[in-house]
Amino acid sequence: MAIRKKSTKSPPVLSHEFILQNHADIVSCVAMVFLLGLMFEITAKASIIFVTLQYNVTLPATEEQATESTSLYYYGIKDLATVFFYMLVAIIIHAIIQEYVLDKINRRMHFSKTKHSKFNESGQLSAFYLFSCIWGTFILISENYISDPTILWRAYPHNLMTFQMKFFYIAQLAYWFHAFPELYFQKTKKEDIPRQLVYIGLYLFHIAGAYLLNLNHLGLVLLVLHYFVEFLFHISRLFYFSDEKYQKGFSLWAVLFVLGRLLTLILSVLTVGFGLARAENQKLDFSAGNFNVLAVRIAVLASICITQAFMMWKFINFQLRRWREHSTFQAPVVKKKPTVTKGRSSRKGTENGVNGTVTSNGADSPRNRKEKSS
């Protein structure tokens, strides 16, 4: 009889497990296609839309500025292609941090599945928040935002941006768009996906709103402020996972979180409610990028206030849950003292059992049987 060989079917090239294990390599190949396209004249025009910033305007040097001509940028539909390319770059960087930093720490610490996912989340976000804070602070200092706060609303609309400013917003949009496929790549639990989608959507809504409404100056200040507070929370959570006795970082974060919400509301009302409301040009002009009308100002302030109220509500619930867990953990166990009665009955009761209840061992003991027979 001829022995039939078992047919070993090779898995499909783009199977589910294959994509999860090699998604960084696949994304790297796609990104390399755009970079290699710059080397050939036929594809260079198409590839340059994805790789470099678009819509630049060269302003000649003036008498006040003795320097050379400067290049400024405005936004347009081609920015979507640039955001897509740097979204691929964000996925690659995410995989590098995960494989060469976080996975090595996880193997040493032996975290549970819940702590493992939270540790990865805090590790990725703390790296992003730190980088964005440093980059945003550099832009604030270089463009004199700190020395002159009126620049937040003066000379609106801010439709022309420097290279650093536009690249910062492109990178922010690319990072938060990359968070959607990462939910699939990181095998996020179904019960955690709604929470992730909510805060990803909030980030994209506010960053894109500041970018499209030419409120990039105000958006940059609020992002740096918010990212600093969030960085403190996630770095504190990383220390907490290594040592559960560490609580000082959370206490400092709680104070700065409340102050951050107050500063966000103050700067928003000061810029939109007072600065832009007193501007001379208050006509809706899409070609000039002017959105300084009453309806837009109310919508901007309403979205900021609602978001801050939502964050405070989540913060209060988080603090109440922590206090309850802390109080139940430290609550002393109250032991009831046995009641002592007078006379022979108390002694007999204690011999028979605990607190007067008769146990089988006490009732059937040899001593009790001897007393009954006598």
mmCIF file of all heavy atoms in Angstrom, residues 254-276:
data_model
loop_
_atom_site.group_PDB
_atom_site.id
_atom_site.type_symbol
_atom_site.label_atom_id
_atom_site.label_comp_id
_atom_site.label_asym_id
_atom_site.label_seq_id
_atom_site.Cartn_x
_atom_site.Cartn_y
_atom_site.Cartn_z
ATOM 1 N N ALA A 254 -1.883 64.946 40.806
ATOM 2 C CA ALA A 254 -3.242 65.377 41.137
ATOM 3 C C ALA A 254 -3.318 66.898 41.286
ATOM 4 O O ALA A 254 -4.265 67.531 40.811
ATOM 5 C CB ALA A 254 -3.707 64.694 42.422
ATOM 6 N N VAL A 255 -2.306 67.491 41.904
ATOM 7 C CA VAL A 255 -2.288 68.946 42.068
ATOM 8 C C VAL A 255 -2.103 69.636 40.724
ATOM 9 O O VAL A 255 -2.827 70.587 40.370
ATOM 10 C CB VAL A 255 -1.182 69.366 43.059
ATOM 11 C CG1 VAL A 255 -1.090 70.883 43.161
ATOM 12 C CG2 VAL A 255 -1.441 68.763 44.433
ATOM 13 N N LEU A 256 -1.144 69.149 39.930
ATOM 14 C CA LEU A 256 -0.871 69.782 38.637
ATOM 15 C C LEU A 256 -2.005 69.553 37.640
ATOM 16 O O LEU A 256 -2.211 70.378 36.740
ATOM 17 C CB LEU A 256 0.442 69.243 38.068
ATOM 18 C CG LEU A 256 1.713 69.632 38.832
ATOM 19 C CD1 LEU A 256 2.935 69.015 38.170
ATOM 20 C CD2 LEU A 256 1.851 71.148 38.898
ATOM 21 N N PHE A 257 -2.733 68.456 37.797
ATOM 22 C CA PHE A 257 -3.858 68.198 36.894
ATOM 23 C C PHE A 257 -4.938 69.268 37.061
ATOM 24 O O PHE A 257 -5.444 69.809 36.076
ATOM 25 C CB PHE A 257 -4.442 66.809 37.173
ATOM 26 C CG PHE A 257 -5.570 66.434 36.251
ATOM 27 C CD1 PHE A 257 -5.308 65.812 35.041
ATOM 28 C CD2 PHE A 257 -6.889 66.691 36.600
ATOM 29 C CE1 PHE A 257 -6.342 65.462 34.191
ATOM 30 C CE2 PHE A 257 -7.925 66.350 35.760
ATOM 31 C CZ PHE A 257 -7.652 65.723 34.546
ATOM 32 N N VAL A 258 -5.269 69.577 38.309
ATOM 33 C CA VAL A 258 -6.275 70.606 38.572
ATOM 34 C C VAL A 258 -5.780 71.977 38.098
ATOM 35 O O VAL A 258 -6.524 72.742 37.457
ATOM 36 C CB VAL A 258 -6.637 70.635 40.064
ATOM 37 C CG1 VAL A 258 -7.646 71.738 40.362
ATOM 38 C CG2 VAL A 258 -7.202 69.281 40.504
ATOM 39 N N LEU A 259 -4.514 72.284 38.390
ATOM 40 C CA LEU A 259 -3.959 73.558 37.930
ATOM 41 C C LEU A 259 -3.912 73.632 36.407
ATOM 42 O O LEU A 259 -4.140 74.700 35.818
ATOM 43 C CB LEU A 259 -2.548 73.745 38.500
ATOM 44 C CG LEU A 259 -2.452 73.947 40.017
ATOM 45 C CD1 LEU A 259 -0.993 74.048 40.448
ATOM 46 C CD2 LEU A 259 -3.223 75.188 40.461
ATOM 47 N N GLY A 260 -3.629 72.516 35.769
ATOM 48 C CA GLY A 260 -3.608 72.486 34.309
ATOM 49 C C GLY A 260 -4.961 72.750 33.706
ATOM 50 O O GLY A 260 -5.087 73.467 32.694
ATOM 51 N N ARG A 261 -6.016 72.218 34.324
ATOM 52 C CA ARG A 261 -7.361 72.483 33.815
ATOM 53 C C ARG A 261 -7.725 73.961 33.983
ATOM 54 O O ARG A 261 -8.364 74.558 33.112
ATOM 55 C CB ARG A 261 -8.381 71.607 34.546
ATOM 56 C CG ARG A 261 -8.093 70.119 34.534
ATOM 57 C CD ARG A 261 -8.375 69.454 33.198
ATOM 58 N NE ARG A 261 -7.444 69.785 32.150
ATOM 59 C CZ ARG A 261 -6.203 69.270 32.032
ATOM 60 N NH1 ARG A 261 -5.740 68.434 32.936
ATOM 61 N NH2 ARG A 261 -5.442 69.602 31.022
ATOM 62 N N LEU A 262 -7.347 74.551 35.117
ATOM 63 C CA LEU A 262 -7.637 75.967 35.343
ATOM 64 C C LEU A 262 -6.872 76.850 34.364
ATOM 65 O O LEU A 262 -7.441 77.794 33.788
ATOM 66 C CB LEU A 262 -7.288 76.345 36.786
ATOM 67 C CG LEU A 262 -8.174 75.745 37.877
ATOM 68 C CD1 LEU A 262 -7.643 76.111 39.257
ATOM 69 C CD2 LEU A 262 -9.613 76.221 37.730
ATOM 70 N N LEU A 263 -5.591 76.555 34.144
ATOM 71 C CA LEU A 263 -4.806 77.346 33.196
ATOM 72 C C LEU A 263 -5.336 77.205 31.779
ATOM 73 O O LEU A 263 -5.332 78.172 31.004
ATOM 74 C CB LEU A 263 -3.344 76.909 33.254
ATOM 75 C CG LEU A 263 -2.523 77.431 34.438
ATOM 76 C CD1 LEU A 263 -1.128 76.819 34.430
ATOM 77 C CD2 LEU A 263 -2.427 78.946 34.400
ATOM 78 N N THR A 264 -5.793 76.010 31.416
ATOM 79 C CA THR A 264 -6.369 75.805 30.086
ATOM 80 C C THR A 264 -7.602 76.671 29.886
ATOM 81 O O THR A 264 -7.763 77.324 28.838
ATOM 82 C CB THR A 264 -6.717 74.328 29.890
ATOM 83 O OG1 THR A 264 -5.531 73.537 30.001
ATOM 84 C CG2 THR A 264 -7.342 74.084 28.538
ATOM 85 N N LEU A 265 -8.482 76.706 30.882
ATOM 86 C CA LEU A 265 -9.680 77.524 30.774
ATOM 87 C C LEU A 265 -9.341 79.017 30.748
ATOM 88 O O LEU A 265 -9.927 79.785 29.982
ATOM 89 C CB LEU A 265 -10.625 77.219 31.941
ATOM 90 C CG LEU A 265 -11.269 75.828 31.931
ATOM 91 C CD1 LEU A 265 -12.076 75.609 33.203
ATOM 92 C CD2 LEU A 265 -12.154 75.648 30.712
ATOM 93 N N ILE A 266 -8.382 79.434 31.568
ATOM 94 C CA ILE A 266 -8.015 80.850 31.620
ATOM 95 C C ILE A 266 -7.425 81.306 30.284
ATOM 96 O O ILE A 266 -7.812 82.357 29.734
ATOM 97 C CB ILE A 266 -7.024 81.099 32.776
ATOM 98 C CG1 ILE A 266 -7.734 80.933 34.118
ATOM 99 C CG2 ILE A 266 -6.413 82.497 32.684
ATOM 100 C CD1 ILE A 266 -6.792 80.948 35.312
ATOM 101 N N LEU A 267 -6.482 80.529 29.742
ATOM 102 C CA LEU A 267 -5.865 80.904 28.469
ATOM 103 C C LEU A 267 -6.874 80.875 27.321
ATOM 104 O O LEU A 267 -6.823 81.722 26.419
ATOM 105 C CB LEU A 267 -4.705 79.962 28.168
ATOM 106 C CG LEU A 267 -3.460 80.112 29.047
ATOM 107 C CD1 LEU A 267 -2.450 79.007 28.742
ATOM 108 C CD2 LEU A 267 -2.821 81.484 28.856
ATOM 109 N N SER A 268 -7.794 79.918 27.358
ATOM 110 C CA SER A 268 -8.793 79.833 26.287
ATOM 111 C C SER A 268 -9.748 81.016 26.322
ATOM 112 O O SER A 268 -10.042 81.629 25.278
ATOM 113 C CB SER A 268 -9.569 78.515 26.406
ATOM 114 O OG SER A 268 -8.698 77.410 26.340
ATOM 115 N N VAL A 269 -10.244 81.341 27.506
ATOM 116 C CA VAL A 269 -11.157 82.478 27.632
ATOM 117 C C VAL A 269 -10.439 83.782 27.319
ATOM 118 O O VAL A 269 -10.993 84.678 26.653
ATOM 119 C CB VAL A 269 -11.770 82.505 29.047
ATOM 120 C CG1 VAL A 269 -12.588 83.777 29.250
ATOM 121 C CG2 VAL A 269 -12.647 81.277 29.274
ATOM 122 N N LEU A 270 -9.198 83.914 27.766
ATOM 123 C CA LEU A 270 -8.436 85.131 27.518
ATOM 124 C C LEU A 270 -8.166 85.322 26.024
ATOM 125 O O LEU A 270 -8.249 86.448 25.509
ATOM 126 C CB LEU A 270 -7.118 85.077 28.286
ATOM 127 C CG LEU A 270 -6.229 86.324 28.234
ATOM 128 C CD1 LEU A 270 -6.928 87.505 28.894
ATOM 129 C CD2 LEU A 270 -4.886 86.050 28.896
ATOM 130 N N THR A 271 -7.863 84.228 25.318
ATOM 131 C CA THR A 271 -7.543 84.326 23.892
ATOM 132 C C THR A 271 -8.787 84.459 23.033
ATOM 133 O O THR A 271 -8.894 85.375 22.207
ATOM 134 C CB THR A 271 -6.734 83.093 23.452
ATOM 135 O OG1 THR A 271 -5.556 82.987 24.251
ATOM 136 C CG2 THR A 271 -6.343 83.198 21.997
ATOM 137 N N VAL A 272 -9.733 83.547 23.222
ATOM 138 C CA VAL A 272 -10.911 83.505 22.357
ATOM 139 C C VAL A 272 -11.979 84.494 22.827
ATOM 140 O O VAL A 272 -12.577 85.212 22.014
ATOM 141 C CB VAL A 272 -11.469 82.074 22.300
ATOM 142 C CG1 VAL A 272 -12.691 82.012 21.392
ATOM 143 C CG2 VAL A 272 -10.400 81.109 21.816
ATOM 144 N N GLY A 273 -12.218 84.527 24.142
ATOM 145 C CA GLY A 273 -13.307 85.356 24.653
ATOM 146 C C GLY A 273 -12.998 86.838 24.700
ATOM 147 O O GLY A 273 -13.915 87.662 24.566
ATOM 148 N N PHE A 274 -11.711 87.209 24.910
ATOM 149 C CA PHE A 274 -11.356 88.624 25.029
ATOM 150 C C PHE A 274 -10.482 89.098 23.871
ATOM 151 O O PHE A 274 -10.765 90.123 23.251
ATOM 152 C CB PHE A 274 -10.637 88.870 26.365
ATOM 153 C CG PHE A 274 -11.526 88.729 27.559
ATOM 154 C CD1 PHE A 274 -11.603 87.537 28.255
ATOM 155 C CD2 PHE A 274 -12.307 89.791 27.992
ATOM 156 C CE1 PHE A 274 -12.428 87.394 29.355
ATOM 157 C CE2 PHE A 274 -13.139 89.663 29.088
ATOM 158 C CZ PHE A 274 -13.199 88.468 29.781
ATOM 159 N N GLY A 275 -9.401 88.349 23.577
ATOM 160 C CA GLY A 275 -8.474 88.796 22.540
ATOM 161 C C GLY A 275 -9.102 88.824 21.159
ATOM 162 O O GLY A 275 -9.093 89.859 20.481
ATOM 163 N N LEU A 276 -9.667 87.690 20.718
ATOM 164 C CA LEU A 276 -10.273 87.634 19.393
ATOM 165 C C LEU A 276 -11.580 88.407 19.328
ATOM 166 O O LEU A 276 -11.958 88.908 18.258
ATOM 167 C CB LEU A 276 -10.510 86.173 18.984
ATOM 168 C CG LEU A 276 -9.253 85.320 18.801
ATOM 169 C CD1 LEU A 276 -9.629 83.903 18.393
ATOM 170 C CD2 LEU A 276 -8.316 85.933 17.772
#
